[in-house]
Amino acid sequence: MRAGGLARAAELPEPLPRREAADLVREWLEAGTELVGGIAADDTAAAWLHAVATIIELKQLARAQGRRT
């Protein structure tokens, strides 16, 4: 994402391992390619996607810890 920008990330065959997640993120990436902002827009989108990934990871960790107790 940071190396190639939104346009390049939107072209990836599988931006995420799971198909359902990849389809959703691809829609976000394609919508982002319509932004006029160049590198600044790409950086903002990358930071936002990183935040989304962090939230998902924390949610998965919390679920896993809940199963252990």
Side-chain angles (χ1 to χ4, degrees):
M1 172 77 201
R2 290 194 188 270
L6 285 165
R8 175 65 184 114
E11 294 173 355
L12 294 173
E14 291 186 20
L16 292 173
R18 289 186 27 240
R19 182 180 177 101
E20 300 83 15
D23 289 344
L24 177 61
V25 169
R26 185 172 291 106
E27 288 180 28
W28 294 344
L29 293 171
E30 288 172 354
T33 62
E34 297 173 9
L35 298 173
V36 178
I39 294 173
D42 289 345
D43 286 345
T44 299
W48 181 79
L49 287 170
H50 185 265
V52 169
T54 300
I55 291 168
I56 292 169
E57 182 180 13
L58 290 171
K59 187 175 178 180
Q60 291 172 338
L61 289 171
R63 283 184 184 163
Q65 287 179 349
R67 285 185 232 141
R68 289 187 210 140
T69 58

